[in-house]
Amino acid sequence: MSKSNERNYGVYDLCVIGAGMCGVPAARHAINYARHATTKPYKVCVIGPEETQMIPDRDIWSAHYDEGRITRMSDPNWIWSLLARRSIQRYRKLEQDTGINFYSEVGSLTVGAEYIPVVQKTANDTGISVATLDNSQLQSKFPFLNFGDEDIAIYEAQNAGHISPRKLVRAQLIAALELGCDVIREIVNQVTEDNLLNGAPVMKVKTDSGRTIHARKVLIAVGCFTEFRKLLPVEPNLIFSPQTVTLVQITPEDAHRIEKMPSIIYRGKGAANWPGDALKNKDGAVGYYLLPPIQYEDGKYYIKMGHWDELLKGFLTTAKEVQEWFLGNGDENLGKQLEQAIINVVKDIKILGVHIDRCVTTRTPTRRPYIDLISPNLGVLLGGNGYAAKSSDELGRLAAHMMVDGCWKEQQLAWDHFKLQTK
């Protein structure tokens, strides 16, 4: 992707700051929607840097530099379930339109005990097709996985599996470019309201290079980096959760042997034959998410596992802490626990190598994203809470309609669910 394909528009109708999983679909949907909602051409740009290596003089990254995120319709919360459903239903068309395949429908397995009825109820209430597996059915269907004797599961065979966030963003970018969106490969450091344009205020966007871009409206969709630039006149109530993930490299033979492995979410007591206390919280419960073997861009196959917030030692509060986290090695002890947990769960795999990675999850007190207007010309799409990747297309669509309309017209989801809270 070139540094910029910006045309000489002068003033954009909408500038989306954040060229990631939520920002790019917001730009794409804004152009599409405005064609029907307005009578004039709608000029949109999206601003964000290219993917880059973790280097000391860089302090802005993105969550989509990876090949594996779980996707599923079932969820304990009906709002996240609906957001996922709407997004997943558009995956295949986006793949067909762009020629980029980012979705693997290998199914999703939610395993545990007390946690399962909550997921089952939401699925029943929202009409999602799932199967409930008792312990013997679970072990029979997935003999290459090791669970506890009390574990039961929700199995979602269709409309679930995993997506490549990196490829998803590429597909969204191609679709947005086809519609005429400008992609500007810079980092924004300030957003302010500028002088009136034909009697209306205009927003001024300044980049690290000293460039100035004008737009009638601006949408901020940059995750945990919102507070580390002068982007908003208020301070959103956001919690920055430092996540450690472990990827174990396995042989191609093992990857093909367990190719029917679904994505897994586990909340339970673990199995009696799991050695040690890997991933156990203070109450002795175990929680993790696990991706099946995925071939990464280096051609190798990896199984990836991550943890829940209960195992964190603390949260990040400053730009320096976030930068140091991204540039560091993660929580090495937690990374080793994740490695052991993978060995506990996936039977008889030969591990060729181990890589501990890290990212930051942006959480909100409501556990729902913020999709809101701070002023008629400035909006936010923030707080993925660890669930946004699979639902990012719908989150972008909701934010796009809000920005184009200047209000909330969505009927099934009340705006109150997504209102911004400030510190």
Side-chain angles (χ1 to χ4, degrees), residues 218-293:
V218 169
L219 175 68
I220 307 295
V222 295
C224 72
F225 299 103
T226 305
E227 295 187 10
F228 307 147
R229 293 292 195 275
K230 297 177 181 178
L231 305 183
L232 294 173
V234 297
E235 187 177 2
N237 193 350
L238 297 172
I239 303 160
F240 305 136
S241 170
Q243 301 290 314
T244 298
V245 297
T246 293
L247 296 97
V248 299
Q249 182 193 348
I250 64 172
T251 66
E253 293 76 17
D254 277 343
H256 294 312
R257 176 177 61 86
I258 58 175
E259 63 182 358
K260 295 187 181 299
M261 177 177 168
S263 297
I264 299 170
I265 294 173
Y266 185 88
R267 287 183 179 271
K269 296 179 181 179
N273 62 352
W274 289 1
D277 294 325
L279 303 185
K280 287 187 177 180
N281 64 21
K282 62 182 180 180
D283 298 320
V286 178
Y288 62 79
Y289 65 87
L290 180 65
L291 277 297

Side-chain angles (χ1 to χ4, degrees), residues 304-319:
K304 183 178 100 171
M305 181 182 279
H307 59 88
W308 304 122
D309 278 1
E310 289 92 334
L311 299 176
L312 292 179
K313 297 175 181 177
F315 296 93
L316 307 175
T317 58
T318 67

Side-chain angles (χ1 to χ4, degrees), residues 112-182:
E114 294 87 354
Y115 182 66
I116 300 303
V118 182
V119 180
Q120 180 71 67
K121 184 179 186 307
T122 304
N124 292 342
D125 292 345
T126 55
I128 298 170
S129 177
V130 299
T132 303
L133 306 180
D134 62 25
N135 189 261
S136 61
Q137 291 170 324
L138 177 61
Q139 295 186 42
S140 174
K141 190 170 187 63
F142 303 104
F144 49 85
L145 298 175
N146 181 30
F147 296 114
D149 293 339
E150 297 181 10
D151 287 333
I152 59 176
I154 295 290
Y155 179 48
E156 194 172 356
Q158 285 81 42
N159 300 309
H162 59 85
I163 56 175
S164 163
R166 181 181 280 122
K167 292 174 183 174
L168 172 59
V169 171
R170 288 176 188 164
Q172 295 281 14
L173 279 169
I174 289 173
L177 285 165
E178 286 292 321
L179 292 170
C181 179
D182 285 346

